[in-house]
Short mmCIF file of all heavy atoms in Angstrom, two decimals:
data_model
loop_
_atom_site.label_atom_id
_atom_site.label_comp_id
_atom_site.label_asym_id
_atom_site.label_seq_id
_atom_site.Cartn_x
_atom_site.Cartn_y
_atom_site.Cartn_z
N LEU A 969 18.16 -11.68 -9.18
CA LEU A 969 18.96 -11.20 -10.31
C LEU A 969 20.42 -11.59 -10.15
O LEU A 969 21.08 -11.98 -11.11
CB LEU A 969 18.81 -9.68 -10.48
CG LEU A 969 17.47 -9.21 -11.03
CD1 LEU A 969 17.34 -7.70 -10.93
CD2 LEU A 969 17.26 -9.68 -12.47
N HIS A 970 20.93 -11.52 -8.92
CA HIS A 970 22.30 -11.99 -8.67
C HIS A 970 22.44 -13.47 -8.99
O HIS A 970 23.43 -13.89 -9.60
CB HIS A 970 22.72 -11.73 -7.23
CG HIS A 970 23.27 -10.36 -6.98
ND1 HIS A 970 24.34 -9.84 -7.66
CD2 HIS A 970 22.88 -9.41 -6.09
CE1 HIS A 970 24.60 -8.62 -7.21
NE2 HIS A 970 23.72 -8.33 -6.26
N GLY A 973 23.06 -14.10 -12.53
CA GLY A 973 24.29 -13.61 -13.14
C GLY A 973 24.47 -12.11 -13.18
O GLY A 973 25.51 -11.62 -13.62
N HIS A 974 23.48 -11.36 -12.73
CA HIS A 974 23.64 -9.90 -12.69
C HIS A 974 24.59 -9.50 -11.58
O HIS A 974 24.73 -10.20 -10.58
CB HIS A 974 22.28 -9.22 -12.44
CG HIS A 974 21.41 -9.16 -13.65
ND1 HIS A 974 21.44 -8.12 -14.54
CD2 HIS A 974 20.47 -10.02 -14.11
CE1 HIS A 974 20.56 -8.33 -15.50
NE2 HIS A 974 19.95 -9.49 -15.25
N ASP A 975 25.23 -8.35 -11.76
CA ASP A 975 26.12 -7.80 -10.75
C ASP A 975 26.06 -6.28 -10.84
O ASP A 975 25.50 -5.73 -11.80
CB ASP A 975 27.55 -8.30 -10.97
CG ASP A 975 28.40 -8.20 -9.71
OD1 ASP A 975 27.91 -7.70 -8.67
OD2 ASP A 975 29.57 -8.62 -9.75
N HIS A 976 26.62 -5.61 -9.87
CA HIS A 976 26.65 -4.15 -9.89
C HIS A 976 27.99 -3.60 -9.44
O HIS A 976 28.07 -2.49 -8.92
CB HIS A 976 25.49 -3.56 -9.07
CG HIS A 976 25.30 -4.15 -7.71
ND1 HIS A 976 25.99 -3.73 -6.61
CD2 HIS A 976 24.49 -5.14 -7.29
CE1 HIS A 976 25.61 -4.43 -5.55
NE2 HIS A 976 24.69 -5.29 -5.94
N ALA A 977 29.05 -4.38 -9.65
CA ALA A 977 30.39 -3.93 -9.27
C ALA A 977 30.91 -2.84 -10.20
O ALA A 977 31.60 -1.92 -9.76
CB ALA A 977 31.36 -5.11 -9.24
N GLU A 978 30.58 -2.93 -11.46
CA GLU A 978 31.02 -1.94 -12.46
C GLU A 978 29.81 -1.12 -12.92
O GLU A 978 28.68 -1.60 -12.89
CB GLU A 978 31.64 -2.66 -13.67
CG GLU A 978 32.82 -3.55 -13.32
CD GLU A 978 34.02 -2.78 -12.81
OE1 GLU A 978 34.23 -1.63 -13.24
OE2 GLU A 978 34.75 -3.33 -11.95
N ALA A 979 30.06 0.09 -13.38
CA ALA A 979 28.98 1.01 -13.74
C ALA A 979 28.05 0.44 -14.82
O ALA A 979 26.83 0.57 -14.71
CB ALA A 979 29.56 2.34 -14.21
N ASP A 980 28.61 -0.21 -15.85
CA ASP A 980 27.75 -0.74 -16.91
C ASP A 980 26.92 -1.92 -16.41
O ASP A 980 25.75 -2.07 -16.76
CB ASP A 980 28.56 -1.13 -18.15
CG ASP A 980 29.61 -2.20 -17.89
OD1 ASP A 980 30.15 -2.26 -16.77
OD2 ASP A 980 29.90 -2.97 -18.82
N GLU A 981 27.51 -2.76 -15.55
CA GLU A 981 26.77 -3.88 -14.95
C GLU A 981 25.65 -3.34 -14.07
O GLU A 981 24.52 -3.85 -14.09
CB GLU A 981 27.69 -4.74 -14.06
CG GLU A 981 28.80 -5.45 -14.77
CD GLU A 981 29.77 -6.12 -13.79
OE1 GLU A 981 29.89 -5.65 -12.63
OE2 GLU A 981 30.40 -7.10 -14.19
N LYS A 982 25.97 -2.33 -13.28
CA LYS A 982 24.99 -1.75 -12.37
C LYS A 982 23.81 -1.17 -13.16
O LYS A 982 22.65 -1.38 -12.79
CB LYS A 982 25.63 -0.66 -11.52
CG LYS A 982 24.69 -0.03 -10.52
CD LYS A 982 25.42 0.99 -9.65
CE LYS A 982 24.49 1.63 -8.66
NZ LYS A 982 25.17 2.58 -7.78
N SER A 983 24.10 -0.50 -14.25
CA SER A 983 23.05 0.08 -15.07
C SER A 983 22.11 -1.01 -15.60
O SER A 983 20.88 -0.85 -15.54
CB SER A 983 23.68 0.85 -16.24
OG SER A 983 22.68 1.34 -17.09
N ARG A 984 22.67 -2.11 -16.08
CA ARG A 984 21.84 -3.22 -16.58
C ARG A 984 21.03 -3.85 -15.46
O ARG A 984 19.85 -4.16 -15.62
CB ARG A 984 22.71 -4.28 -17.26
CG ARG A 984 23.15 -3.90 -18.66
CD ARG A 984 23.76 -5.08 -19.42
NE ARG A 984 24.95 -5.62 -18.79
CZ ARG A 984 26.19 -5.13 -18.94
NH1 ARG A 984 26.39 -4.09 -19.72
NH2 ARG A 984 27.21 -5.68 -18.32
N MET A 985 21.66 -4.05 -14.31
CA MET A 985 20.97 -4.69 -13.19
C MET A 985 19.85 -3.80 -12.66
O MET A 985 18.76 -4.27 -12.39
CB MET A 985 21.94 -5.05 -12.08
CG MET A 985 21.28 -5.82 -10.95
SD MET A 985 22.49 -6.48 -9.79
CE MET A 985 21.41 -7.33 -8.65
N TRP A 986 20.12 -2.51 -12.50
CA TRP A 986 19.11 -1.59 -11.98
C TRP A 986 17.94 -1.50 -12.95
O TRP A 986 16.79 -1.39 -12.52
CB TRP A 986 19.72 -0.23 -11.72
CG TRP A 986 20.14 0.00 -10.29
CD1 TRP A 986 19.84 1.09 -9.54
CD2 TRP A 986 20.93 -0.86 -9.45
NE1 TRP A 986 20.40 0.95 -8.28
CE2 TRP A 986 21.07 -0.22 -8.20
CE3 TRP A 986 21.53 -2.10 -9.62
CZ2 TRP A 986 21.76 -0.78 -7.14
CZ3 TRP A 986 22.24 -2.66 -8.57
CH2 TRP A 986 22.33 -2.00 -7.36
N LYS A 987 18.22 -1.55 -14.25
CA LYS A 987 17.14 -1.52 -15.25
C LYS A 987 16.28 -2.78 -15.12
O LYS A 987 15.05 -2.70 -15.10
CB LYS A 987 17.72 -1.42 -16.66
CG LYS A 987 16.67 -1.35 -17.73
CD LYS A 987 17.28 -1.22 -19.12
CE LYS A 987 16.16 -1.12 -20.13
NZ LYS A 987 16.39 -1.82 -21.33
N ALA A 988 16.93 -3.94 -15.02
CA ALA A 988 16.19 -5.21 -14.87
C ALA A 988 15.39 -5.19 -13.58
O ALA A 988 14.22 -5.61 -13.54
CB ALA A 988 17.16 -6.39 -14.89
N GLN A 989 15.97 -4.70 -12.50
CA GLN A 989 15.30 -4.63 -11.21
C GLN A 989 14.07 -3.73 -11.28
O GLN A 989 13.00 -4.09 -10.78
CB GLN A 989 16.31 -4.11 -10.18
CG GLN A 989 15.94 -4.29 -8.76
CD GLN A 989 17.13 -4.06 -7.84
OE1 GLN A 989 17.74 -5.03 -7.41
NE2 GLN A 989 17.47 -2.82 -7.56
N GLU A 1005 20.25 1.47 -3.87
CA GLU A 1005 21.54 1.92 -4.42
C GLU A 1005 22.72 1.21 -3.77
O GLU A 1005 23.81 1.74 -3.73
CB GLU A 1005 21.69 3.42 -4.25
CG GLU A 1005 20.69 4.21 -5.06
CD GLU A 1005 20.85 4.06 -6.55
OE1 GLU A 1005 21.99 3.90 -7.04
OE2 GLU A 1005 19.83 4.09 -7.26
#
Side-chain angles (χ1 to χ4, degrees):
L969 287 170
H970 275 304
H974 282 271
D975 201 357
H976 48 85
E978 302 294 328
D980 60 329
E981 295 172 334
K982 182 177 180 178
S983 176
R984 282 192 299 277
M985 185 170 181
W986 264 229
K987 182 179 181 219
Q989 195 166 260
E1005 294 295 326

